[in-house]
Amino acid sequence: MKLLRYGPNGQERPGLLDRQGQVRALSGVVNDIDGAALSPDGLAKLARLDLSSLPVVATPGRLAPCVGRVGKFICIGLNYADHAAESGLPVPTEPVIFTKATSAICGPDDDVIQPIGSTKLDWEVELGVVIGTEARYVSEERALEYVAGYCVINDVSERAFQIDGTGTWDKGKGCDTFGPTGPWLVTKDEVGDVENLGMWLKVNGELFQNGSTKTMVFKPAFLVSYVSRFMSLQPGDIISTGTPPGVGMGQKPPRYLVPGDVMELGIEGLGAQRQTVVVETRV
C-alpha cells in the first residue's frame, strides 16, 4: 500500500494511492496515518479494504507529510562511505545518531524556508524507515518485523549552523521545513529489496545526487536494532538513514541553496518530492 495524507496544514486527512494513481479517502476508516494505523493490526485492517469502495478524492490539493503525529525523528549521519569522504570525515565505526525536530517535518512539495542568518543551506536525499511496532533491544535478524514501511526524506541542512559553531548537529538540522517527508509511506511488502533502491536529487534541473541504498554503511535492519538499544522506538517514529554523495557542501567549490532554487528528489518505488527555497517572512 501507498499511504498518504492530504489537505492544508493543520487539516490533513488520511488517504491511500490506488493502482490507477488516484487518491482514495480513508477518513472514517482511520483517524490519521499515525502510529495506530501503522501497527500490524492497523495495516492488516487497511489491507483488507476493497479499494473500489473508497471515495476518490478528485482534487486532493496539497500532499502533507505521509506520517502524522511523529514522536521521534531520528537521523543517521555519514552512513555512506563516499559521503563521509566528501565531508572530509572518516567512515564511522558505529552509527552516528542525531535528532531532527519534529517541527521540521513538512509536506513533500512544501516550500523550504531559508532561516534568518543562513549562509550554507544544503540538501540530502534519504531513505526514511517508519516504525510500526514498539521496538526495544530488538535483534538485527528480526528488526524489519518492527517496520511499517519506507518513505523519501529530504534532510535539509544548514551547514553553518551545523558545523561552523559549537555544540551538536541538531541546530543545523531542525529548522522549520527542514524535513520534507513523503509523498507516500510505502508498506514494506511493496518495496522489494530496500538495500538496493536508486535515489537521486536535482537542483534547478541539474543532477547532484545519484546513488543507491546498496552503498549504505549500516543497513536498515542494523539501524533499527542499534537505535533500539538506546531508546524505545514507537509506532510512527521515523529513522532517516543517511545520504549518498553529491551534497552541496561536497561540491568544488561548495554550492549552497538560495531563495528561488528548486530541489527535486526521489527514491525508486517511493515517489518524488519538489521544493522551492523561499526566504523567512514570518518574523
Side-chain angles (χ1 to χ4, degrees):
M1 293 179 289
K2 293 182 173 67
L3 303 175
L4 55 86
R5 300 165 73 243
Y6 63 95
N9 190 22
Q11 302 176 45
E12 294 88 349
R13 297 180 179 181
L16 180 153
L17 194 74
D18 69 17
R19 296 191 181 279
Q20 290 70 47
Q22 303 176 108
V23 173
R24 299 275 182 166
L26 286 175
S27 298
V29 180
V30 294
N31 293 325
D32 201 354
I33 305 301
D34 59 7
L38 297 174
S39 69
D41 287 345
L43 290 179
K45 175 183 175 181
L46 293 175
R48 291 192 296 267
L49 293 173
D50 175 7
L51 299 191
S52 64
S53 69
L54 299 173
V56 173
V57 183
T59 54
R62 169 184 178 261
L63 285 177
C66 59
V67 184
R69 294 184 251 189
V70 175
K72 291 191 288 295
F73 195 179
I74 302 154
C75 298
I76 308 299
L78 306 173
N79 196 30
Y80 289 72
D82 31 16
H83 172 56
E86 73 175 351
S87 302
L89 296 167
V91 176
T93 56
E94 60 180 295
V96 174
I97 299 175
F98 62 94
T99 59
K100 205 170 177 80
T102 55
S103 53
I105 296 172
C106 65
D109 302 326
D110 288 349
D111 290 339
V112 165
I113 300 169
Q114 182 176 33
I116 293 171
S118 166
T119 58
K120 297 180 179 179
L121 189 62
D122 208 344
W123 58 82
E124 296 189 11
V125 59
E126 304 202 0
L127 172 74
V129 178
V130 184
I131 301 300
T133 302
E134 182 180 6
R136 297 176 68 246
Y137 301 104
V138 301
S139 68
E140 183 178 356
E141 293 72 25
R142 296 193 59 192
L144 295 187
E145 297 175 20
Y146 296 79
V147 172
Y150 304 94
C151 64
V152 181
I153 289 172
N154 188 356
D155 178 19
V156 181
S157 306
E158 213 305 324
R159 304 302 187 189
F161 296 177
Q162 176 191 357
I163 298 170
D164 294 353
T166 59
T168 66
W169 287 6
D170 304 57
K171 61 185 182 293
K173 295 286 192 172
C175 302
D176 290 357
T177 74
F178 273 24
T181 302
W184 320 304
L185 183 158
V186 183
T187 52
K188 60 188 176 185
D189 58 299
E190 289 197 9
V191 171
D193 184 2
V194 72
E195 295 184 10
N196 190 21
L197 300 177
M199 52 202 309
W200 57 273
L201 184 144
K202 297 178 181 180
V203 179
N204 300 333
E206 181 180 354
L207 183 65
F208 281 90
Q209 292 188 275
N210 185 21
S212 170
T213 59
K214 68 183 177 183
T215 65
M216 280 185 183
V217 178
F218 304 106
K219 307 301 184 183
F222 180 85
L223 292 173
V224 172
S225 173
Y226 181 83
V227 174
S228 78
R229 301 180 201 171
F230 306 105
M231 65 195 80
S232 64
L233 294 169
Q234 306 297 325
D237 286 352
I238 298 174
I239 302 175
S240 196
T241 57
T243 197
V247 300
M249 179 177 63
Q251 305 303 308
K252 301 187 184 303
R255 195 299 195 194
Y256 295 115
L257 296 162
V258 297
D261 283 346
V262 176
M263 292 176 282
E264 298 171 279
L265 58 145
I267 298 178
E268 180 182 355
L270 303 184
Q273 303 182 351
R274 185 181 189 275
Q275 299 108 29
T276 300
V277 179
V278 300
V279 297
E280 174 65 84
T281 60
R282 296 173 298 172
V283 293

